[in-house]
Amino acid sequence: MSTDATPQERSLVDRRVVLICLLAIGLGLAAALAAQILVGLIAGITNLAFFGRFSLQEVSPADHQLGFLVIGIPVVGALIVGVMARYGSAAIRGHGIPEAMEQILTNQSRIPPRMTILKPLSAAISIGTGGPFGAEGPIIATGSALGSTLGQWLTVSTQERKTLLAAGAAAGMSAIFGSPVSAVLLAVELLLFEFRPRSIVPVALASVTSAGLRLAFVGSEPVFAMPHLAPPGVAAMAFYILLGGLMGVAAVLITRVVYGVEDLFERLPIHWMWWPAIGAVAVGVIGCFEPRTLGVGYSNISDIISNRLTVSAVTGLCLLKFLSWVISLGSGTSGGTLAPLFTIGGGLGALGGAAAVALFPTAGIDVRVAALVGMAATFSGASRALLASAVFAFETTLEPLGLLPLLGGCAMAYLVATLLMKNSIMTEKISRRGVRTPSEYVSDPLDQILVAEIARSPVTTLRVDQTIGDVRKWMASGGAETQHQGYPVVNAAGLLVGVITRRDLASLDKSDETLAEVISGIVKFVYDDCTVRQAVDHLVNHNIGRLPVVRRGVPHQIVGIVTRSDLLSAYRRRIEEMRTDEPSLPVVAPAASSRNTPASQSIGAAP
C-alpha cells in the first residue's frame, strides 16, 4: 500500500527534530559569541567616542568630562547609522523584534544574511555613541538573522526555519541577560506563535547553551543585583497588583507616544537617512543635563530596584530617559526597547511605591518590590509578553520572593493594556502595514476530533461491474442517495477500490464501460482513528473533496465517508464552547418575608 494513499502520521518529535536541535545548539554557541562581540564593540566605541582611548573595558558614558561637546557625539553616530541604513539595509532601523516578527509572518522567516553583520555593527555605533538603548534588542535581531540564514543555507521547511530563527533570538537574549527561561517564553509569545515540542525543545536547547557559555564569560552574578526581599503581605500584594494595572496604562501611553513621534518624523520633508541625526541632537542635549541617560544604562536599573536613588533623582532619570529614548527610537535609528522600558517602568514603580509608603506606612509595601513590579509590568503591558516579563525579572535578580508580586502585577498590566489598545509596541508598526499578528495560541480543535466522530455512515457505494450508462440512469432517477458529488466504488467483496465523482461521469464518452475500466490511480482514504486535522491535510495535499473512511487493520473495508462540509462542521464544537452558557443551577427569587419560609426547605425546592 502506498503511503501516499493515507494521511501523513503526525508525531510530537521525530528525527528531523533531532537535527533541528543539533543546529539550535550550534546557534546557541554562535549567539553567545556574537553577544560578547557586540558588548565588546559597544565598549570599544564608547571608550573611543567619550574618552578618546582604545579599550574594550566596559565603561559608562555618564562618566565623560566633555561638557557641551557631548552633544555632537550621538549626532556623529546617528549619521553613520543613517548612511548604513540607506546604503546597507533599511532593515537595521527600528526595535529589532518587530522586524523579526514581520519576516516570520510575511517572508517565510527569511532575513537577509547581511543583517548578521549590519545590525550588531549599527547598534554598537548607536549605543556606543550614547544612544539610550540596551544591547538586548540588537543581539536578539542578530540571533534571529543567524538562525534564519542557517535555515536558508540548509534544506528545511518554513516551520523549521522559523524555529531556527526563534532559537537564535532566544539564544541572543539569554547571552545578554543570562535568562534562559524567559528567553524561551519571549520566543513563544512573540516569535513562534505556538507551543509545540518540535519548536520548544530546539529553542530551549539554544537558550540553555547560550546561557551556559555566558557563565564561562561573565560568571553567575545576576544582571540586576538587588538586596534580598521579604515575603509580601496581603495589603502589599494588593498594592502591587494595582500598581501593575497602572503600569498597563503607562505602557499604552508610552506605546502611543513612540509611534506618535515616528509619525512626526514621517512628515519631515527630508530623506529618512537624516532623521537619526535629528533625534540624536535631543539625545546629546538631554545627556548634557543627565549623563545617566546615555548608553545602555543597566546600572541605572540596578540602582532603581535597589532603592539607591532619591525620589528626585528617579523622577529626573525616568522622565529624561523617556524623552531621549522615544525621540531617538522614533527617528528610526538602530536600537531596542527592553532596557529603556525597564528603566522607565522601574522608575515609575519606585515612585508609586514611595508614594504608597508615605500614605500607608504600615501596609508593608517595599519600594524595591514596587520598582521591580513596575519594571516587569511595563514591559508586559507594552510587549504583551506576560510570562516572559515576570520570569525575566526573577532571572535577572535571582529573588524568588519577588515572583508572586511580579506575576500579579504583570498579569494586571497585560489585562489593562489589552483592554485599552489592540496592538503592542512590538506589533503596531507591522499592523499598520497590514500584517496581522497572532495573539492567541490555542490548540487546534481539528486535532482533538477523530474522523470516526464526523464520518457519514452508511455509505452509498457503486460496484465495479456497473457500467457508466447504468450509473447515469440511476442518478437520473432522483432520490436523496443520488445527490452526492462522489461515490466510493467497491468490488464483489465490498472492499474499496476507488472513488468516482459526478464530474468524472460527465466527462466519459462510452456508456458501456464498467467502473473498473475507468477508475485509475491510487485510491485516497483516511482511517477512522485519524484526526480531522490529518483528513483536512490529506484533502488539501491531493486537491480532492471527499475521503472514504476505512478501519485500521482491515484494509479497504469502508465504514464511512467524510467530505469538505463534514470537516467544516467539526468547528461547531469550538464555536459551541465559546458560547456563554445559561446558568445550569436553578435561580431562586428571594422570599417576601423570612417568616413565610419553612426552616427545612432547601435551596431550589418547590414552594
Side-chain angles (χ1 to χ4, degrees):
M1 182 186 300
S2 170
T3 56
D4 193 45
T6 59
Q8 182 180 359
E9 294 295 336
R10 300 164 64 90
S11 61
L12 294 178
V13 294
D14 50 29
R15 292 182 179 179
R16 291 290 301 182
V17 176
V18 175
L19 172 62
I20 300 301
C21 286
L22 294 175
L23 295 174
I25 292 173
L27 279 174
L29 296 172
L33 294 174
Q36 294 305 310
I37 293 173
L38 176 61
V39 170
L41 278 173
I42 293 173
I45 294 172
T46 302
N47 277 285
L48 183 62
F50 289 92
F51 303 99
R53 64 194 179 208
F54 293 95
S55 173
L56 296 180
Q57 183 177 359
E58 291 188 40
V59 64
S60 171
D63 299 327
H64 72 85
Q65 304 295 324
L66 298 174
F68 287 103
L69 293 177
V70 74
I71 297 175
I73 294 178
V75 175
V76 172
L79 286 171
I80 297 173
V81 171
V83 171
M84 293 178 64
R86 181 170 185 179
Y87 298 105
S89 174
I92 66 173
R93 306 171 67 222
H95 316 185
I97 296 179
E99 288 72 24
M101 296 171 71
E102 185 172 16
Q103 295 305 310
I104 289 173
L105 295 169
T106 65
N107 197 30
Q108 297 184 331
S109 302
R110 299 180 187 273
I111 297 176
R114 61 181 178 274
M115 287 293 293
T116 59
I117 303 297
L118 292 178
K119 186 64 179 181
L121 182 58
S122 63
I125 294 172
S126 177
I127 299 170
T129 55
F133 310 108
E136 65 289 328
I139 194 59
I140 288 173
T142 303
S144 301
L146 283 171
S148 175
T149 300
L150 181 61
Q152 293 174 66
W153 284 345
L154 303 175
T155 303
V156 297
S157 67
T158 300
Q159 287 291 326
E160 291 169 336
R161 190 182 306 113
K162 180 179 73 170
T163 299
L164 291 173
L165 185 155
M173 179 177 174
S174 189
I176 292 293
F177 290 118
S179 53
V181 179
S182 57
V184 174
L185 293 173
L186 188 78
V188 170
E189 294 180 295
L190 298 184
L191 297 174
L192 287 173
F193 311 118
E194 64 182 17
F195 197 93
R196 297 195 302 163
R198 60 179 53 248
S199 56
I200 295 295
V201 173
V203 171
L205 290 175
S207 183
V208 168
T209 301
S210 183
L213 196 57
R214 179 186 180 276
L215 289 175
F217 286 127
V218 300
S220 59
E221 290 298 314
V223 176
F224 306 132
M226 64 183 300
H228 294 307
L229 303 176
V234 175
M237 267 301 304
F239 168 75
Y240 298 140
I241 294 174
L242 176 63
L243 179 64
L246 295 176
M247 292 302 101
V249 176
V252 171
L253 294 176
I254 290 171
T255 301
R256 294 190 185 280
V257 172
V258 166
Y259 285 100
V261 172
E262 281 195 6
D263 293 339
L264 291 177
F265 273 98
E266 292 282 352
R267 298 175 186 174
L268 292 179
I270 58 176
H271 194 278
W272 56 258
M273 180 183 76
W274 306 106
W275 298 352
I278 297 174
V281 173
V283 173
V285 171
I286 292 172
C288 278
F289 297 97
E290 178 53 272
R292 286 177 297 186
T293 62
L294 297 170
V296 174
Y298 290 153
S299 60
N300 297 332
I301 299 174
S302 296
D303 289 341
I304 291 172
I305 63 177
S306 299
N307 199 24
R308 288 195 287 259
L309 301 178
T310 64
V311 170
S312 60
V314 171
T315 303
L317 176 60
C318 183
L319 176 61
L320 293 177
K321 183 75 172 184
F322 170 70
L323 290 175
S324 178
W325 168 68
V326 75
I327 295 173
S328 184
L329 187 65
S331 70
T333 192
S334 179
T337 58
L338 276 73
L341 281 174
F342 295 152
T343 303
I344 297 165
L348 291 175
L351 293 175
V357 169
L359 292 173
F360 310 103
T362 61
I365 297 169
D366 190 331
V367 175
R368 299 169 302 170
V369 178
L372 189 65
V373 170
M375 177 184 87
T378 302
F379 185 69
S380 173
S383 68
R384 313 293 164 84
L386 165 60
L387 297 177
S389 301
V391 176
F392 173 84
F394 161 66
E395 287 189 297
T396 53
T397 60
L398 297 182
E399 287 297 320
L401 293 179
L403 267 174
L404 187 60
L406 280 170
L407 185 58
C410 288
M412 184 59 71
Y414 183 100
L415 173 63
V416 171
T418 304
L419 288 172
L420 296 179
M421 187 172 182
K422 178 181 179 181
N423 295 311
S424 70
I425 199 169
M426 303 297 180
T427 62
E428 176 67 19
K429 178 182 294 186
I430 58 178
S431 175
R432 293 181 177 189
R433 297 172 184 166
V435 179
R436 183 182 180 278
T437 307
S439 56
E440 294 183 340
Y441 318 134
V442 297
S443 58
D444 186 350
L446 300 186
D447 254 335
Q448 304 170 27
I449 304 174
L450 297 181
V451 169
E453 299 179 51
I454 65 168
R456 299 185 186 184
S457 181
V459 184
T460 302
T461 61
L462 302 176
R463 301 188 312 275
V464 292
D465 58 350
Q466 288 181 281
T467 66
I468 302 300
D470 292 338
V471 174
R472 288 174 176 169
K473 185 182 300 184
W474 170 73
M475 294 179 67
S477 65
E481 294 182 348
T482 65
Q483 304 305 312
H484 303 312
Q485 296 299 313
Y487 298 91
V489 181
V490 298
N491 59 18
L495 300 180
L496 178 68
V497 296
V499 174
I500 194 164
T501 66
R502 284 180 174 270
R503 181 179 299 178
D504 296 332
L505 292 169
S507 64
L508 297 172
D509 296 328
K510 298 181 180 180
S511 299
D512 57 349
E513 286 185 315
T514 64
L515 297 183
E517 296 177 86
V518 299
I519 291 177
S520 62
I522 300 172
V523 59
K524 311 299 188 298
F525 60 88
V526 63
Y527 293 116
D528 59 350
D529 61 355
C530 285
T531 65
V532 173
R533 167 54 57 196
Q534 289 175 278
V536 170
D537 292 345
H538 203 35
L539 286 176
V540 173
N541 287 338
H542 297 287
N543 192 28
I544 53 180
R546 60 206 50 80
L547 283 171
V549 180
V550 302
R551 200 178 306 281
R552 193 184 296 272
V554 187
H556 294 264
Q557 182 177 347
I558 185 169
V559 295
I561 191 169
V562 290
T563 64
R564 288 192 181 117
S565 59
D566 296 326
L567 299 175
L568 288 175
S569 68
Y571 275 106
R572 290 177 183 171
R573 177 177 300 182
R574 180 183 178 187
I575 295 173
E576 291 172 356
E577 289 175 352
M578 295 175 65
R579 289 176 180 166
T580 302
D581 293 334
E582 294 294 329
S584 56
L585 295 177
V587 178
V588 181
S593 171
S594 58
R595 288 179 297 178
N596 298 330
T597 304
S600 62
Q601 184 176 348
S602 61
I603 296 177

